[in-house]
């Protein structure tokens, strides 16, 4: 799928550029209530950010725009897999070393590793208040959300033929695509363990394994569903939205389960590792109307502050029934991997 590119010197961040009009509109503030970057304090000084890999360079685009807006900010970035960076932060702290000022993770499980170690600084009340109530945490700020979905082939099924219970999927006669080695799938199984228990989750995995076809990633799952190789798949919502954006006639739609791990809303997030106001003020930029609007439009991620529209083609969170779960509990990944291995899934 061809994606619009991001040009340095973003006009909506107050820096002159030759930005194409469609992308300029993508970064425009979309509501009166969210905070605009124009009202935020200038960032001056040195910061080191540990950045989990995410969303095809779009997070990098945001960081470049923030730097263009703040020429006196010296931002050092260490990039790597989110879980590996979380482990590095914890290991460095045990050695009495602090190299990172901020950690932007693409998965809340990695955030949980750091917060469980007591390394995250509390959020200011005004920053937390910008987030939708169900996404307010003491030591970190969710940035954008992603919901687990059931993409299905519209020529093979109607939405009414799909169970609204993730546990019932295992007993259905539907053919399934999945990517069990994918981190988002493993977070989904961790949520299932927490909600249903290990025994029920193991039985579910065994049943699904008998009928599922494996793919390397969840984009592959969604593409297989659209081609008609399988009836349904397990995948984060944005893969389907991106495919349909590039192929409007795609034989693909999204179904949702109710109040279970099948419609888990996970989140990327950021936390500060020191008490320097510069780190906290940097976090404010990620919760601004411009950044939230950009990630909703370009990455098809779910904005988590009030007043920003969700990605086109996705129902509002208010119309979906995700389970109530502390996202930082998804850090408990080792029992999930053991369970998947013991049942022949990995």
């Amino acid at each position: 799928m061809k994606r619009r590119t991001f040009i340095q010197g973003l006009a909506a961040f107050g820096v002159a550029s030759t930005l194409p009009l469609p992308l300029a509109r993508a970064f425009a503030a979309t509501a009166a209530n969210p905070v605009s970057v124009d009202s935020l304090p200038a960032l001056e000084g040195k910061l080191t950010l540990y950045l989990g890999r995410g969303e095809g360079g779009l997070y990098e685009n945001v960081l470049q725009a923030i730097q263009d807006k703040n020429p006196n900010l010296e931002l050092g970035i260490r990039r790597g897999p989110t879980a590996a960076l979380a482990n590095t932060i914890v290991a460095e702290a045990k050695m009495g070393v602090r190299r990172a000022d901020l950690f932007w993770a693409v998965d809340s499980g990695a955030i949980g590793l750091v917060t469980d170690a007591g390394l995250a600084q509390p959020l200011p009340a005004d920053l937390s208040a910008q987030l939708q109530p169900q996404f307010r945490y003491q030591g970190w700020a969710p940035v954008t959300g992603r919901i687990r979905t059931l993409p299905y082939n519209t020529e093979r099924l109607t939405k009414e033929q799909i169970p609204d219970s993730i546990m019932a999927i295992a007993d259905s006669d539907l053919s399934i695509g999945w990517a069990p080695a994918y981190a988002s799938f493993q977070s989904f199984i961790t949520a299932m363990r927490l909600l249903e228990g290990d025994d029920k989750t193991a039985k579910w995995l065994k049943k699904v394994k008998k009928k599922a076809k494996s793919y390397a990633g969840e984009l592959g799952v969604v593409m297989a569903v659209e081609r008609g190789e399988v009836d349904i798949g397990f995948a984060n919502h944005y893969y389907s939205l991106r495919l349909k954006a590039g192929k409007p006639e795609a034989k693909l739609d999204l179904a949702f389960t109710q109040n279970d791990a099948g419609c888990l809303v996970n989140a990327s997030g950021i936390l500060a590792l020191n008490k320097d106001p510069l780190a906290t003020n940097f976090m404010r930029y990620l919760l601004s109307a411009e950044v939230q609007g950009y990630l909703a439009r370009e990455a098809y991620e779910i904005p988590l502050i009030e007043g920003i529209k969700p990605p086109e083609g996705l129902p509002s969170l208010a119309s979906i029934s995700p389970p109530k779960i502390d996202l930082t509990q998804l850090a408990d990944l080792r029992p999930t991997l053991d369970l998947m291995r013991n049942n022949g899934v990995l």
Side-chain angles (χ1 to χ4, degrees):
M1 184 193 314
K2 185 176 180 180
R3 231 182 241 170
R4 289 174 288 180
T5 58
F6 183 96
I7 296 179
Q8 295 181 3
L10 206 54
F13 276 157
V15 180
S17 77
T18 56
L19 189 68
L21 184 58
L23 191 53
R25 283 199 298 264
F27 243 86
T30 56
N33 291 330
V35 175
S36 169
V37 293
D38 291 333
S39 65
L40 294 176
L43 303 177
E44 300 181 358
K46 294 183 178 180
L47 282 175
T48 298
L49 170 71
Y50 282 17
L51 175 66
R53 295 172 183 160
E55 306 321 318
L58 294 177
Y59 291 0
E60 298 274 5
N61 296 344
V62 168
L63 295 175
Q64 184 61 58
I66 292 174
Q67 289 179 280
D68 290 345
K69 173 71 173 175
N70 296 276
N72 293 321
L73 171 66
E74 186 177 332
L75 183 64
I77 304 173
R78 177 173 178 176
R79 301 163 177 87
T82 287
L85 289 177
N87 285 319
T88 297
I89 291 169
V90 173
E92 289 175 347
K94 289 180 179 178
M95 294 187 295
V97 176
R98 180 186 60 76
R99 295 191 175 96
D101 301 302
L102 293 157
F103 178 37
W104 187 1
V106 298
D107 183 88
S108 59
I111 291 283
L113 286 173
V114 178
T115 57
D116 287 350
L119 300 177
Q121 297 298 317
L123 289 186
D126 69 289
L127 195 155
S128 181
Q130 295 178 53
L131 291 157
Q132 297 179 35
Q134 67 271 37
F135 295 105
R136 294 174 186 171
Y137 292 89
Q138 184 175 4
W140 65 288
V143 177
T144 51
R146 62 285 307 270
I147 187 168
R148 298 300 296 176
T149 62
L150 300 175
Y152 68 95
N153 185 287
T154 53
E155 286 192 344
R156 296 172 65 124
L157 292 173
T158 65
K159 191 172 294 187
E160 290 70 28
Q161 292 175 285
I162 302 172
D164 63 4
S165 162
I166 195 65
M167 305 308 287
I169 295 291
D171 296 316
S172 72
D173 58 0
L174 300 173
S175 59
I176 298 169
W178 69 355
Y182 203 61
S184 292
F185 182 88
Q186 293 168 7
S187 291
F188 150 62
I189 296 299
T190 301
M192 184 182 292
R193 285 183 43 247
L194 295 172
L195 294 166
E196 308 289 346
D198 285 5
D199 289 345
K200 286 186 178 179
T201 302
K203 291 176 182 177
W204 186 91
L205 287 169
K206 289 178 180 178
K207 289 179 180 179
V208 174
K209 182 177 180 290
K210 293 178 180 179
K211 67 177 75 178
K213 185 173 182 178
S214 294
Y215 297 88
E218 292 190 345
L219 177 59
V221 170
V222 169
M223 293 174 68
V225 170
E226 199 278 331
R227 290 193 299 266
E229 291 180 14
V230 290
D231 296 325
I232 67 168
F234 305 128
N236 283 342
H237 75 273
Y238 43 71
Y239 294 109
S240 296
L241 298 189
R242 292 172 191 171
L243 192 152
K244 291 184 73 172
K247 186 180 180 181
E249 73 281 8
K251 302 180 289 293
L252 181 71
D253 202 352
L254 291 175
F256 302 87
T257 59
Q258 298 288 323
N259 296 306
D260 60 27
C263 61
L264 172 73
V265 177
N266 204 338
S268 68
I270 190 164
L271 57 81
L273 294 157
N274 65 45
K275 297 180 180 180
D276 187 345
L278 178 60
T280 303
N281 286 335
F282 183 93
M283 295 168 69
R284 298 180 194 280
Y285 277 77
L286 299 188
L287 297 186
S288 68
E290 290 85 355
V291 170
Q292 292 278 302
Y294 173 71
L295 291 176
R297 289 168 175 78
E298 294 297 313
Y300 295 91
E301 295 190 1
I302 302 171
L304 299 182
I305 65 171
E306 303 284 2
I308 303 294
K309 292 181 180 179
E312 186 175 350
L314 187 72
S316 69
L317 286 180
S319 66
I320 300 170
S321 301
K324 294 181 180 180
I325 190 169
D326 180 345
L327 293 178
T328 56
Q329 292 181 323
L330 301 181
D332 190 23
L333 189 60
R334 187 174 298 278
T336 296
L337 297 177
D338 290 342
L339 189 72
M340 294 175 72
R341 292 188 183 109
N342 292 339
N343 288 279
V345 176
L346 290 177

